Amino acid sequence: MTDTGAIPNLRELNKRRTREAISHAATRLFIERGFDRTTIAEVAAAAGVAKMTVTNHFPRKEDLFFDLHEELAGRLAEAVAERAPGESALAALRRDCLAGLDRQDARLGFSGSAFARTVVDSPALSARLRELHEQSETALAEALAEAVHEIPVGFECRVAAALLAAVDRSVFAEVFRRTLAGEEPTTISAAVRPSAVRAYGRLEGTLGGFAVRTS
């Protein structure tokens, strides 16, 4: 008897493997040649797939490089949605940020000097990174609005999201800056962590009691 459930799983596995192969090939080429000088056709050839396969998996060229774009844009909103009972949005975001620094999370900018240099050398990638941070802030505002039952998103949630996202964005920028300066990830994590703690602490009086999960 054929296990029909195994067929979709195998297809999904093959799809994921293809996506990873494309992403790895693209990252290598972008770092070696520069993002703007590398074509989609060259990425497809390096990955051993058709050009259409590349665009099916990655409609935007920039997201071939930022293959974690969905995770980057959604991380803050996810942290708020998954906050523990009695935990405020600020506390959840602080916990998530510090844990990310401790494990040197790529979503906080820990990606290696070659990766960081490729971003800063490409106006298109730099613009896409700014766009991802803006999307992250928008998603955070929506998560906060849902948490306090403020639909549609109102002024207070937009302000709160801007303040909280600013800390996260500043942490990312500092990690990137230190990476470009040649510092080791463990050194960067140890140096940035106290600054993140102080930044969240300064917001405690304003947002410490905002969007506390009641159950």
Side-chain angles (χ1 to χ4, degrees):
M1 185 174 181
T2 302
D3 182 1
T4 56
I7 296 175
N9 290 339
L10 181 58
R11 288 174 179 168
E12 186 61 32
L13 178 60
N14 288 334
K15 182 179 179 181
R16 185 163 61 247
R17 286 174 174 170
T18 299
R19 180 182 175 88
E20 289 174 354
I22 293 170
S23 176
H24 292 161
T27 300
R28 177 176 56 81
L29 289 176
F30 292 153
I31 289 175
E32 289 176 356
R33 304 180 185 179
F35 176 80
D36 299 316
R37 291 190 296 273
T38 303
T39 67
I40 298 296
E42 290 170 334
V43 171
V49 300
K51 182 178 177 181
M52 185 175 293
T53 302
V54 175
T55 55
N56 283 341
H57 283 277
F58 299 94
R60 296 183 60 163
K61 181 183 175 184
E62 292 84 357
D63 291 337
L64 277 164
F65 194 73
F66 293 120
D67 57 332
L68 294 176
H69 61 279
E70 293 178 352
E71 292 89 340
L72 178 60
R75 182 176 64 84
L76 300 184
E78 183 179 349
V80 169
E82 296 179 352
R83 69 198 186 285
E87 189 174 40
S88 68
L90 185 152
L93 291 170
R94 175 171 51 209
R95 175 170 52 80
D96 182 78
C97 178
L98 297 181
L101 285 170
D102 291 343
R103 66 174 178 268
Q104 297 160 24
D105 195 328
R107 297 175 300 173
L108 278 176
F110 289 95
S111 50
S113 58
F115 187 99
R117 177 55 60 190
T118 303
V119 174
V120 299
D121 286 346
S122 168
L125 288 178
S126 296
R128 179 55 174 153
L129 182 58
R130 288 192 297 271
E131 183 180 22
L132 289 171
H133 283 307
E134 290 168 1
Q135 289 175 0
S136 177
E137 182 179 323
T138 298
L140 175 58
E142 292 170 352
L144 291 172
E146 183 175 349
V148 299
H149 309 292
E150 183 186 87
I151 304 297
V153 181
F155 179 81
E156 185 176 9
C157 286
R158 288 196 297 271
V159 171
L163 292 171
L164 292 167
V167 177
D168 194 80
R169 190 180 303 198
S170 296
V171 167
F172 189 104
E174 183 65 6
V175 170
F176 240 50
R177 184 188 71 79
R178 289 176 177 272
T179 298
L180 289 168
E183 294 184 24
E184 293 295 323
T186 52
T187 302
I188 297 172
S189 177
V192 176
R193 199 181 199 282
S195 298
V197 170
R198 287 193 296 271
Y200 281 111
R202 292 183 187 281
L203 295 178
E204 188 70 42
T206 303
L207 294 172
F210 185 69
V212 176
R213 187 166 195 162
T214 57
S215 61

